Amino acid sequence: MKIIEVENLNFSYSEEVKTIQDVSFSIEKGTYTTIIGHNGSGKSTIARLLAGLLEKESGTIKIDGMELNMENLPKIRNRIGIVFQNPDNQFIGSTVRDDIAFGLENHCVPQEQMDDIINENAARVRMTKYLDKEPTHLSGGQKQRVAIAGVLAMKPNILIFDEATSMLDPQGKDEIKKVIMDLHKEIGLTILSITHDIDEVAHSDYVLALDSGRLAMQGTPHEVFADERKIRAIQLDTPFSMKMGDFLHQHGVEVEKHLTMEGLVKELCQYRSNM
Ligand SMILES: Nc1ncnc2c1ncn2[C@@H]1O[C@H](COP(=O)(O)OP(=O)(O)OP(=O)(O)O)[C@@H](O)[C@H]1O
Ligand SMILES: [Mg+2]
């Protein structure tokens, strides 16, 4: 079942420049989609249009079969959670608990239910120990986990991550990528992740590649990265494992193209044992 359907979407911030041009795509429920594209290609704008934070100029957006319009906006907002890049800009509460509670209070959720929801979602992102701490005293990765718990508390069925790991150190990045992957696998949430992390892209189900406001490529990571010329033409990079594979080819080691280092290393081990 398609959970997001976008047809001929257009949007501009100003009259001079078209920011999103005739973009159409659809996303299957429960899938993990990555959105890639050079800086300024329109990725965050698409995310904001889908979440109803910006109003489209023309075209249609359907979420869960419902057209995104003024009438359906409140219902659709409840179905989509969005986590942004900068963990410091997402805090409202003076403790982690208050912060996770913020959206619930706005939705007038009774106190007895609120505690259960807070505990459940803090546990899901492994932040139970920090519930009474001040969010400003946490590490970047911990802050992003709290932001995710706050979004999850609203029970969305689509989660959008707009470069949620880009400001974190390698350990923080890995923590958040694991949380995202678990949410996808364990509760079957539909994930849209805007990222420059090729390894994350390689592990996603589907890829949308934007170039100057247009959808330049879409498909599985294999399909998208198979067209290396086009990937380079839209100013993107191919995975390190593919470059390594090319290098090995040039040196007489015939290996398949792999999107991940795990795949390449596995094949090399096989290759070696057959020598
Ligand atoms: N609030 C705004 N007002 C005017 N122009 C904007 C605004 N936000 C973004 N833009 C412009 O719209 C275009 C698309 O921006 P967007 O933020 O969607 O790109 P992006 O692909 O998310 O880039 P990045 O990888 O740098 O985050 C850019 O040219 C940008 O300068
Ligand atoms: Mg952006």
Side-chain angles (χ1 to χ4, degrees), residues 113-125:
Q113 284 175 29
M114 207 146 42
D115 290 339
D116 287 347
I117 299 173
I118 292 169
N119 292 335
E120 182 193 330
N121 290 296
R124 189 155 267 145
V125 298

Side-chain angles (χ1 to χ4, degrees), residues 191-206:
I191 309 278
L192 250 75
S193 178
I194 296 172
T195 183
H196 292 281
D197 181 337
I198 300 278
D199 183 57
E200 186 185 351
V201 180
H203 285 94
S204 65
D205 300 316
Y206 204 71

Side-chain angles (χ1 to χ4, degrees), residues 43-44 162-163 194:
K43 304 178 297 295
S44 298
D162 188 352
E163 298 196 42
I194 296 172

Side-chain angles (χ1 to χ4, degrees):
M1 183 209 154
K2 293 190 178 8
I3 194 161
I4 300 176
E5 294 163 272
V6 174
E7 268 176 49
N8 308 110
L9 184 65
N10 288 283
F11 174 82
S12 309
Y13 288 102
S14 65
E15 278 179 16
E16 305 88 68
V17 196
K18 281 203 135 223
T19 311
I20 299 299
Q21 297 187 61
D22 208 24
V23 166
S24 302
F25 63 87
S26 58
I27 289 181
E28 289 290 323
K29 192 172 179 181
T31 53
Y32 189 139
T33 300
T34 41
I35 304 181
I36 57 175
H38 56 79
N39 291 131
S41 56
K43 304 178 297 295
S44 298
T45 306
I46 295 254
R48 291 186 156 88
L49 285 162
L50 291 178
L53 301 172
L54 287 173
E55 200 181 336
K56 68 180 193 254
E57 209 167 87
S58 63
T60 50
I61 299 174
K62 276 192 197 162
I63 306 289
D64 239 349
M66 268 188 303
E67 186 160 348
L68 178 54
N69 51 28
M70 285 316 267
E71 192 192 333
N72 291 331
L73 187 63
K75 269 187 263 170
I76 288 179
R77 282 241 175 103
N78 285 342
R79 281 168 209 224
I80 302 188
I82 182 159
V83 180
F84 295 100
Q85 185 174 35
N86 188 345
D88 290 318
N89 293 346
Q90 310 188 45
F91 292 107
I92 302 113
S94 58
T95 62
V96 167
R97 186 188 302 280
D98 289 347
D99 211 84
I100 303 175
F102 181 77
L104 298 170
E105 280 164 3
N106 281 350
H107 278 70
C108 305
V109 174
Q111 187 64 46
E112 3 15 302
Q113 284 175 29
M114 207 146 42
D115 290 339
D116 287 347
I117 299 173
I118 292 169
N119 292 335
E120 182 193 330
N121 290 296
R124 189 155 267 145
V125 298
R126 294 183 287 278
M127 286 299 286
T128 307
K129 271 198 322 212
Y130 300 87
L131 276 172
D132 296 310
K133 298 264 185 288
E134 257 184 65
T136 46
H137 293 173
L138 302 175
S139 72
Q142 290 167 338
K143 285 177 187 169
Q144 282 302 60
R145 282 193 269 157
V146 175
I148 294 171
V151 165
L152 285 176
M154 307 310 295
K155 290 200 176 359
N157 43 11
I158 301 170
L159 273 186
I160 303 180
F161 294 93
D162 188 352
E163 298 196 42
T165 64
S166 66
M167 293 178 75
L168 307 179
D169 61 20
Q171 192 195 336
K173 273 194 207 322
D174 286 347
E175 274 171 30
I176 298 302
K177 281 201 277 185
K178 185 166 183 326
V179 168
I180 299 175
M181 208 33 115
D182 288 350
L183 292 173
H184 172 56
K185 287 200 180 133
E186 286 166 16
I187 32 181
L189 286 178
T190 305
I191 309 278
L192 250 75
S193 178
I194 296 172
T195 183
H196 292 281
D197 181 337
I198 300 278
D199 183 57
E200 186 185 351
V201 180
H203 285 94
S204 65
D205 300 316
Y206 204 71
V207 185
L208 302 172
L210 290 173
D211 176 35
S212 308
R214 293 183 183 276
L215 187 60
M217 302 173 88
Q218 63 173 315
T220 63
H222 266 284
E223 286 164 353
V224 167
F225 287 112
D227 196 344
E228 285 177 61
R229 260 201 9 220
K230 195 156 181 193
I231 281 286
R232 277 192 288 270
I234 61 171
Q235 302 163 51
L236 294 176
D237 205 5
T238 51
F240 177 71
S241 50
M242 283 177 75
K243 288 186 198 145
M244 190 67 186
D246 287 340
F247 177 82
L248 290 168
H249 254 271
Q250 284 159 20
H251 290 79
V253 184
E254 306 259 325
V255 285
E256 296 284 324
K257 293 237 182 251
H258 287 279
L259 291 179
T260 60
M261 280 309 282
E262 294 105 283
L264 181 63
V265 167
K266 226 184 215 170
E267 194 184 332
L268 284 173
C269 290
Q270 191 76 38
Y271 189 90
R272 200 159 160 245
S273 64
N274 290 342
M275 270 170 83

